[in-house]
């Protein structure tokens, strides 16, 4: 099948801006549109005001605009069955159906698969009632991890340092903190080590591993403060040595892809495996059924392969034998957030971006939570506002360039971590 001539990208974040930019770079020169997009994506391609969770609206848009391919960014439309609806129309889609999205939407479902197929992961137990959960806690010393079963925008996990904290988390979650998402919980043993993100493009039993990456989940420098969606990322993650990567593929990636297929799920999309590199070996923390944000902003600029060809091959079931080409350069992405994120933060603050010509080489500013106000000014419109990514021959140069661009962004409420990449830089 020739490559599609028109593509709809669904989503509104930095991840989707990076996807749009990479797809625009395809030699096939497709027409790209996005829904709903953001102020930066709208400068690159036409954006349509259909929300990412409006399934009938997105289906109607795909038909009206006669797109030949849909690429879905976020987890919510995946879990709501957007892909199932589009496939009924005969439209090729990159992203799993609702059955595959369940790997992210239900942590209990995923844990059962991991345990059944003996894929390394932390020991866990599942509960619907407070009393048995508290009894179980008495036999598991803190630190211990309490997780809501369902989607909770990255806030449904508590790594409890004391038994009191663990008990409070159990009561909170089962008490309805996230509604139906926390009507069931997992209590999981704590894993220790460095975390890495392994993105895998999957098509049934075929897969292509994307370059390694590490995220920075905490809001503060030195990995302090509350968890966020991710404050910055870099690729490659050198903590994953070639030998370790081979082990990750052998013990985790291949068995995961096989297990999902054995479960009868025809998964065509990104399997994002969150890993803990424990002293005993790599262990699965979670699966996501989509590209990571901000990992994608650091991974895609390193691909020398046409992203459109890769995603199209996966969607069409033609991924077998696909050869991925990766640039030797390092990419580093610093997320600029609105001060206050991940708690309450202001919206509508004016942002002044440096002129593109003044940016350091191979440095770009992906938009996430941005919009235009009634006066046509660029303003903040979300917790994570921009993702500043630089590509360079060393990680240090990528960091220097990304930070120079961050400093040149003017916004009264801008906040970003100063230490993205520091762990790898300091290891040398
Ligand atoms: P999740 O939503 O499952 O990715 O969990 C969010 C974060 O909680 C992870 O990125 C880890 O930092 C932490 N976490 C989750 N599970 C564990 C675990 N078993 N041991 C230690 N940390 C964990
Ligand atoms: N950066 C982590 C995520 O996308 O869930």
């Amino acid at each position: 099948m020739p490559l599609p001539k028109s593509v709809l990208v669904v989503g509104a974040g930095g991840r989707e801006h990076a996807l749009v930019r990479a797809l625009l770079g395809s030699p096939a020169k497709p027409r790209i549109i996005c829904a709903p997009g953001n102020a930066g994506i709208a400068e690159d391609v036409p954006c349509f005001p259909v929300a990412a969770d409006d399934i009938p609206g997105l289906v109607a848009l795909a038909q009206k605009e006669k797109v030949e391919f849909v690429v879905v960014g976020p987890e919510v439309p995946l879990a709501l069955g957007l892909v199932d609806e589009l496939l009924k129309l005969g439209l090729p889609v990159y992203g799993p159906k609702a059955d595959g999205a369940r790997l992210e939407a239900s942590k209990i479902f995923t844990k059962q698969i991991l345990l059944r197929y003996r894929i390394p992961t932390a020991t866990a137990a599942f509960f619907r009632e407070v009393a048995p959960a508290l009894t179980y806690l008495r036999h598991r010393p803190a630190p211990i991890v309490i997780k809501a079963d369902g989607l909770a925008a990255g806030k449904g996990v508590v790594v409890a340092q004391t038994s009191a904290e663990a008990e409070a988390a159990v009561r909170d979650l089962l008490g309805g903190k996230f509604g139906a998402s926390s009507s069931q919980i997992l209590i999981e043993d704590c894993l220790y080590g460095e975390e890495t993100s392994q993105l895998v493009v999957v098509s049934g039993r075929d897969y292509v591993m994307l370059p390694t990456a590490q995220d920075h989940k905490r809001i503060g420098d030195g990995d302090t403060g509350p968890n966020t969606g991710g404050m910055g990322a870099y690729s490659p993650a050198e903590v994953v040595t070639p030998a370790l990567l081979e082990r990750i593929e052998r013990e985790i990636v291949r068995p995961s892809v096989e297990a999902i297929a054995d479960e009868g799920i025809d998964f065509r999309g990104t399997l994002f495996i969150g890993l803990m590199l424990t002293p005993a070996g790599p262990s699965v923390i979670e699966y996501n059924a989509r590209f990571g944000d901000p990992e994608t902003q650091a991974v895609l600029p390193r691909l020398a392969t046409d992203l459109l060809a890769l995603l199209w091959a996966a969607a069409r079931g033609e991924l077998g034998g696909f050869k991925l080409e990766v640039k030797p350069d390092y990419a580093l992405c610093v997320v600029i957030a609105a001060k206050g994120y991940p708690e309450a933060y202001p919206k509508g603050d004016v942002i002044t971006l440096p002129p593109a010509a003044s940016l350091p080489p191979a440095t770009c500013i992906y938009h996430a939570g941005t919009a235009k106000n009634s006066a046509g000014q660029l303003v903040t419109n979300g917790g994570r506002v921009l993702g500043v990514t630089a590509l360079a021959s060393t990680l240090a140069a990528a960091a220097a360039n990304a930070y120079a661009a961050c400093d040149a962004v003017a916004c009264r409420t801008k906040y970003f971590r100063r230490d993205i990449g520091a762990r790898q830089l300091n290891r040398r």
Side-chain angles (χ1 to χ4, degrees):
M1 273 291 271
L3 293 179
K5 292 188 187 58
S6 55
V7 186
L8 165 64
V9 176
V10 175
R15 164 183 56 208
E16 286 76 22
H17 200 183
L19 284 164
V20 163
R21 283 272 174 94
L23 293 171
L24 280 173
S26 169
K29 298 270 170 266
R31 172 179 187 248
I32 313 268
I33 63 173
C34 185
N38 56 42
I41 297 175
E43 288 187 4
D44 292 342
V45 301
C47 287
F48 294 81
V50 182
D53 61 356
D54 176 0
I55 306 305
L58 292 167
V59 170
L61 177 67
Q63 287 183 296
K64 185 167 141 289
E65 292 298 317
K66 298 191 168 55
V67 298
E68 295 175 1
F69 187 33
V70 181
V71 175
V72 185
E75 62 275 19
V76 170
L78 296 171
L80 291 175
L82 172 62
V83 177
D84 308 62
E85 294 306 314
L86 293 168
L87 290 176
K88 281 184 204 156
L89 301 174
L91 206 58
V93 192
Y94 184 80
K97 292 178 286 185
D99 61 353
R102 230 181 134 200
L103 294 166
E104 172 161 7
S106 170
K107 291 183 192 292
I108 292 178
F109 175 68
T110 287
K111 185 64 83 173
Q112 285 168 333
I113 291 180
L114 292 168
L115 296 174
R116 190 174 316 136
Y117 292 87
R118 300 182 186 282
I119 298 168
T121 190
T123 300
F126 319 130
F127 300 95
R128 290 172 183 275
E129 308 288 340
V130 173
L134 297 185
T135 306
Y136 180 78
L137 276 183
R138 267 179 231 123
H139 305 287
R140 312 299 292 187
I144 185 110
V145 185
I146 320 293
K147 300 185 172 186
D149 174 47
L151 294 179
K155 294 179 184 142
V157 174
V158 177
V159 182
Q161 296 303 325
T162 63
S163 307
E165 223 184 298
E167 268 196 51
V170 165
R171 290 183 197 282
D172 253 17
L173 291 177
L174 287 177
K177 182 164 184 195
F178 295 105
S181 281
S182 66
S183 62
Q184 295 189 68
I185 60 167
L186 291 81
I187 300 182
E188 183 173 301
D189 289 358
C190 199
L191 299 170
Y192 300 91
E194 268 195 56
E195 284 185 64
T196 67
S197 304
Q198 182 60 55
L199 303 179
V200 187
V201 173
V202 177
S203 181
R205 291 183 193 272
D206 296 316
Y207 65 89
V208 169
M209 290 166 70
L210 294 181
T212 57
Q214 273 186 300
D215 186 9
H216 299 61
K217 296 203 184 243
R218 305 299 192 97
I219 188 71
D221 285 7
D223 296 327
T224 52
N227 260 330
T228 69
M231 293 303 293
Y234 56 88
S235 175
E238 291 178 335
V239 66
V240 182
T241 59
L244 181 53
L245 187 62
E246 204 187 295
R247 182 167 180 195
I248 289 171
E249 177 170 12
R250 190 176 62 245
E251 294 182 6
I252 291 177
V253 174
R254 195 173 306 132
S256 295
V257 171
E258 290 293 333
I260 292 164
D262 286 349
E263 287 295 306
I265 300 171
D266 181 11
F267 193 102
R268 301 184 187 195
T270 307
L271 182 68
F272 162 163
I273 310 180
L275 293 169
M276 188 74 86
L277 305 178
T278 79
S283 183
V284 176
I285 298 175
E286 63 168 348
Y287 292 142
N288 294 310
R290 51 168 175 84
F291 281 106
D293 190 336
E295 288 91 336
T296 300
Q297 292 89 305
V299 165
L300 295 187
R302 296 191 58 227
L303 299 189
T305 297
D306 178 12
L307 182 71
L308 181 64
L310 175 65
L311 304 188
W312 180 248
R316 304 262 321 146
E318 297 164 354
L319 195 61
F322 195 99
K323 273 271 159 281
L324 189 75
E325 308 273 348
V326 180
K327 300 173 194 170
D329 306 272
Y330 291 75
L332 183 136
C333 173
V334 180
V335 170
I336 297 186
K339 204 164 178 57
Y341 174 80
E343 314 300 339
Y345 53 82
K347 283 187 180 180
D349 255 335
V350 174
I351 309 165
T352 309
L353 296 181
S358 74
L359 290 174
T363 301
C364 77
I365 300 181
Y366 295 123
H367 288 233
T370 66
K372 289 275 171 79
N373 66 14
S374 54
Q377 293 166 301
L378 183 67
V379 294
T380 62
N381 191 42
R384 292 190 290 173
V385 179
L386 301 166
V388 180
T389 299
L391 190 70
S393 60
T394 65
L395 188 64
N401 288 347
Y403 277 112
C406 287
D407 287 329
V409 171
C411 179
R412 204 170 46 83
T413 52
K414 82 172 173 182
Y415 167 81
F416 54 92
R417 278 181 63 164
R418 280 279 168 195
D419 64 343
I420 303 304
R423 194 192 295 240
Q424 183 156 313
L425 290 167
N426 293 339
R427 193 155 26 218
R428 278 131 176 269

